[in-house]
Amino acid sequence: MNLKALQASFEGEVYFDGAWRHIYATDASAYREVPLAVAVPKTENDLKRLIAFADEHTTSLIPRSGGTSLAGQVVGGGIVVDISRHFTNIVEINPKEHWVKVQPGIVRDDLNKHLAPYNLFFAPETATANRATIGGMIGNNSCGSNSIVYGSTREHLLEATVLLSDGSSVIFSPQNEQMLSHKKKLNTLEGKIYNTVLDILNNNENKKEIEKEFPDPIIPRRNTGYAIDMLLRMKPFSPSENNFNLCSLLAGSEGTLAIVTEVKLNLMPIPSPHKALVCIHCKSIQESLRANLIALKYKPTASELIDNYILQCTKNNREHQHNRFFIQGDPEGLLVVEITQESMTETEKNCQALIQELQSLEIGHYYPILQGNDMVKVWNLRKAGLGLLGNIVGDTKPVCVIEDTAVNVQELPQYIQEFDQILLRYGLKSVYYAHAGTGELHLRPVLNLKTKEGQKMFRIIAQEIASLVKKYKGSLSGEHGDGRLRGEFIPLIIGKKNYSLLETIKDTFDPKNILNPGKIVRTPRMDTSLRYTPEQITKKIETLLDFESTLGIVRATEQCNGAGDCRKTHLSGGTMCPSYMATKNEKDTTRARANILREMLTHSHKQNPFDHKEIKEIMDLCLSCKGCKSECSSNVDIAKMKAEFLYQYQKENGISLRNRIFASFSTLYAFASYIPSIANLCIQNTITSNIIKKTIGIAPKRTLPLLSPITLREWFEKKFIPSQKEIKGTVVLFCDEFTNLNDAEIGIKTIQLLDALGYKIEMPKNVESGRSHLSKGMLNKAKKLAETNIHILSEKISETKPLIGIEPSCILSFRDEYIDITKGTLKEKAKKIAQHTFLLDEFFAREIEKNNIKSEQFSDEKKRIRIHGHCHQKALSSLTHTKKMLSLLKHSEILLIPSGCCGMAGSFGYEKEHYNISQQIGELVLFPTIRNEKTETIICASGTSCRHQIYDATNKKSLHPIEILWDALLSKNNPFPNDNIQHSKSKN
């Protein structure tokens, strides 16, 4: 099989090396199968080449977009065809007729951002809507929490341009009887398809069998097999107003019938903004389901269940701890009901009426009503359900097996009662969440799939619940699809005769079985090709960093369940994952990095399992921004894993000269600080600067950081004269290496500002933070530095004498890496220091709360300030502290820039091979926002590398928030005493 020849003729990319194949071996399901190759097509001709190649070489094509399938739809041994990178265009918007034409790789939420100016949106909304593509939503016939009102993707798919298995391009669209007659006469594969499907539906016995055996049509979420029951409800087979349209068959077909290249979608007007949530706290799941039936009487736009299992997971997740603000106690079930009316008065009236009826029936015990931005927090909590389950420690976890069953909503309480009895019989527990309002709960029994017993129960539960679903005439899949997980049980759900009709349809569309075989029909046994082998022993690998909280680094990688939170685009907001946002390349996701580590660490036969170039390749564009630490709902901390990987990998392969120099940055600059003017002359001189860059491997377009004329420590020890004001408190200032050597002016202003505001400043003789060593995997050195700092500071820091820091990446090491890199008594000391360690922003916000710092102390001159947040601050703290700090300037306009990472990330953006991607990341949001601001707008950035990146790209100097406050204090109190700053000439 000549994959190299295919690669040579391809406009997109074809990969067949081990790294790429392994990161595409799994999706969000329990399955794993290493594909033959991965293709990332760029054009329709690429797709045709793939079809011809598969036809010639008797292999298969596995269409994939977001890769978040829960039933193994995009896992297989053929060529994975990833359409999510290039097929992302909006082709045409027709606001008058309420439709849009798009390519299948566009993300649902991104599409709606483009449609918002027209007051229109594509309605079906999955929990993964900020990374789910339209193609994936068609493949699974996705819906979501608002399906009570808007139904599923199928209802909104008007027309589809597809490639059939012979490479021909056809359009599926509404067909009247005359048009159908024409289609039947075609001597093509398209003609054969129409003849076969119409013959099936014209057969009276088939009609009776379909009506008898298919899921109850009253159930809105029906996604079992191919939707031939839906075709029967169209003309000419029923008096429906809808003409026959094979799009209904395409939706939910999981790429087994055709490859979609373009679709026409129905759009809806953006709904009324007059919404509110009633969050019903219940003592049991059954009580929640009774509350759901009452809620449905008030015609909600959503009714969603979150159980206690998921709510407990939110307690340990940084991103969602603040989203649970409305939860009182530990309810076993939380039913979130969305009420929407034409006015807020009507909405509130309905909410109160619902609560009064629930109270009269003694259902529920607490009913907070939430509006506005608080609603967003609740829905984010609900959408995180799948990902949150991944952060449960250990091998026993809630498993995708029967998580998508749907029944008549009126029968849901009885169905769940019988479901519970089955679980009780086997001694199992389950997670319950999601779409109570439409009769579908995501049910996840808790199993250990690394054991024979766990895999045995995986099958038994699937069989038992399939029979229960059939009893209730329900659908085994409501929105997640059949894939290879449920395909085996389709004959039970729809009957053997109907199943044979599905096989006929598949064989007509795809006679050579090249399109995603083994899904929906003729699937392998559902307990084969699982991610874990029976009785698999999880390797215990010695690490320098502490991974005890996840029971080792291997289990830390296994926390990634494939939910794909890391595939958000820059339009979605957030930081994770900056390199993916720029490249749209699966290789650059947090998920890919976790996958490659899991694969190599689990299956490696080397004594040092980290010694694999495949890991290095996939880790290359990780900026260690820590976005995943807070934004990944499964708490997958890739920055930590990367540091450990680099440390272990470099044991075998050595440390490059450049990494040694970057890690020793502060030592080299400390020597140069004895002759700062001469050193700066060399740095600024074009010839010497270019020699330095070329020797080290720094991007030619980068400016190098200059030395301050005097170090911060020298200024503090020799020139600082404290004022004699009343002391409000004492702070210990951590003299980090970047501020000390390069940004001393900011440090000096920090000290003078604190002094002027009445604080006593202590500056112990700490050593450097070790940040640069951590970023380069030189953990032994970082460990020694951390231990030294802990020894120096542990007796000096307390609740009344906090440790504060200027540079986020350095001071926040005390709250993060210092705890992971130490053991025993030192770890306990590190934890104690961490409790009393603050960014300057946090300290100021706290003192403002105490009324110790007041806006009256600062100039009230009106200013416009745009804040770019440091990645580590966003991951480990919050930008709300920065906003509060700057709100001391009471007449100023303080706005956050909705940027993720700036792209510099310490030394990353300096490295010549990473320069371009560094710029691409900045160009997503940050640089354009700054360029579009007026000259007088103040750009605020607390990170030194952020400020360098901003200056290099926009020629705009950005200020640390301390500088902004200092200037405002000077303006208020000018002339100000003790103004003995030696201003640095550094342009950055």
Side-chain angles (χ1 to χ4, degrees), residues 394-399 428 445-458 530 532-536 538 555 558:
D395 296 332
T396 301
K397 296 180 185 287
V399 170
L428 298 176
V446 181
L447 301 170
N448 183 354
L449 290 184
K450 291 184 179 179
T451 65
K452 287 182 180 177
E453 180 62 24
Q455 294 199 5
K456 178 182 175 184
M457 291 308 305
F458 185 67
L530 293 178
Y532 304 116
T533 56
E535 303 309 318
Q536 176 176 320
T538 304
R555 288 190 177 88
E558 291 171 353

Side-chain angles (χ1 to χ4, degrees), residues 485-532:
L485 175 61
R486 287 176 270 273
E488 188 178 346
F489 304 108
I490 294 176
L492 169 65
I493 299 297
I494 67 171
K496 290 183 179 179
K497 179 174 175 55
N498 286 331
Y499 181 74
S500 70
L501 299 179
L502 304 191
E503 291 180 308
T504 300
I505 289 171
K506 168 65 175 174
D507 291 342
T508 305
F509 270 87
D510 185 20
K512 292 192 176 180
N513 202 28
I514 65 173
L515 297 177
N516 210 10
K519 318 293 161 47
I520 300 181
V521 299
R522 303 190 189 99
T523 59
R525 282 174 57 93
M526 58 81 68
D527 52 352
T528 56
S529 297
L530 293 178
R531 188 177 291 203
Y532 304 116

Side-chain angles (χ1 to χ4, degrees), residues 122-340:
F122 177 65
E125 179 186 22
T126 68
T128 57
N130 63 355
R131 67 262 193 201
T133 68
I134 295 299
M137 293 181 72
I138 292 168
N140 285 351
N141 187 35
S142 302
C143 33
S145 59
N146 62 10
S147 63
I148 293 178
V149 178
Y150 297 116
S152 65
T153 300
R154 179 179 287 124
E155 280 81 71
H156 300 271
L157 180 57
L158 303 176
E159 188 178 286
T161 303
V162 304
L163 292 177
L164 299 178
S165 62
D166 64 351
S168 60
S169 178
V170 302
I171 297 175
F172 293 151
S173 60
Q175 306 286 307
N176 59 32
E177 290 191 57
Q178 184 180 356
M179 296 163 78
L180 285 175
S181 177
H182 171 72
K183 293 289 186 186
K184 291 173 67 175
K185 294 174 183 175
L186 296 174
N187 189 24
T188 60
L189 179 56
E190 181 187 12
K192 189 174 182 181
I193 288 167
Y194 275 97
N195 275 291
T196 299
V197 174
L198 292 170
D199 286 347
I200 286 172
L201 299 177
N202 275 314
N203 184 299
N204 286 328
E205 287 188 17
N206 290 343
K207 288 181 185 178
K208 291 177 183 177
E209 196 69 17
I210 291 168
E211 289 167 356
K212 174 186 173 186
E213 296 288 351
F214 263 71
D216 187 344
I218 201 172
I219 302 168
R221 291 167 170 264
R222 304 186 312 285
N223 210 27
T224 298
Y226 300 134
I228 51 178
D229 59 326
M230 296 297 293
L231 295 180
L232 269 184
R233 296 182 179 92
M234 297 175 180
K235 294 178 181 177
F237 305 105
S238 90
S240 166
E241 60 183 32
N242 296 320
N243 281 326
F244 186 86
N245 191 344
L246 283 178
C247 283
S248 286
L249 201 65
L250 188 70
S253 65
E254 301 175 0
T256 61
L257 302 182
I259 296 177
V260 176
T261 60
E262 185 179 296
V263 292
K264 180 179 177 182
L265 303 170
N266 172 58
L267 303 177
M268 302 292 291
I270 292 176
S272 164
H274 305 300
K275 299 179 180 182
L277 299 181
V278 182
C279 302
I280 307 164
H281 290 50
C282 298
K283 296 186 180 72
S284 67
I285 297 299
Q286 276 297 323
E287 186 179 47
S288 298
L289 298 180
R290 293 198 300 275
N292 177 58
L293 294 181
I294 301 300
L296 290 178
K297 293 162 60 178
Y298 294 85
K299 300 190 184 321
T301 43
S303 183
E304 298 283 301
L305 176 68
I306 311 173
D307 80 347
N308 183 259
Y309 217 114
I310 289 175
L311 292 176
Q312 291 299 319
C313 291
T314 64
K315 292 180 178 180
N316 300 316
N317 182 270
R318 293 177 186 273
E319 177 79 356
H320 294 290
Q321 284 168 350
H322 71 281
N323 288 339
R324 40 176 296 124
F325 68 97
F326 65 99
I327 298 170
Q328 185 181 87
D330 285 311
E332 283 300 312
L334 179 72
L335 190 74
V336 180
V337 180
E338 182 180 84
I339 303 292
T340 306

Side-chain angles (χ1 to χ4, degrees), residues 692-765:
I692 293 169
K693 293 174 189 176
K694 190 170 183 180
T695 303
I696 299 175
I698 293 176
K701 293 182 180 179
R702 280 290 174 207
T703 59
L704 299 176
L706 299 176
L707 282 154
S708 295
I710 185 171
T711 68
L712 176 61
R713 185 169 296 283
E714 185 181 1
W715 180 89
F716 181 77
E717 292 174 352
K718 295 181 180 180
K719 301 199 173 189
F720 174 53
I721 304 170
S723 65
Q724 301 303 312
K725 292 189 174 183
E726 180 183 345
I727 302 300
K728 295 176 183 173
T730 302
V731 296
V732 178
L733 181 65
F734 181 73
C735 183
D736 71 84
E737 52 270 32
F738 303 105
T739 306
N740 185 44
L741 297 166
N742 307 107
D743 295 321
E745 182 176 338
I746 296 172
I748 292 167
K749 289 179 178 178
T750 300
I751 292 168
Q752 292 201 315
L753 178 62
L754 289 167
D755 177 69
L757 293 172
Y759 296 91
K760 180 183 177 183
I761 302 100
E762 294 181 4
M763 189 190 290
K765 291 191 176 180

Side-chain angles (χ1 to χ4, degrees), residues 712 731-737 739 746-747 750-751 754 761-763 766 769 793 797 802-815 836-844 873 877 885 942-943 947 960-962:
L712 176 61
V731 296
V732 178
L733 181 65
F734 181 73
C735 183
D736 71 84
E737 52 270 32
T739 306
I746 296 172
T750 300
I751 292 168
L754 289 167
I761 302 100
E762 294 181 4
M763 189 190 290
N766 57 269
S769 69
L793 297 169
I797 306 304
L803 179 67
I804 62 174
I806 297 167
E807 169 57 38
S809 64
C810 295
I811 192 64
L812 290 173
S813 297
F814 285 89
R815 297 225 291 251
H836 308 302
T837 297
F838 301 95
L839 282 167
L840 276 171
D841 316 50
E842 295 170 328
F843 175 76
F844 268 77
Q873 181 178 357
S877 177
M885 178 186 188
S942 59
R947 294 192 296 274
H960 192 284
I962 281 292

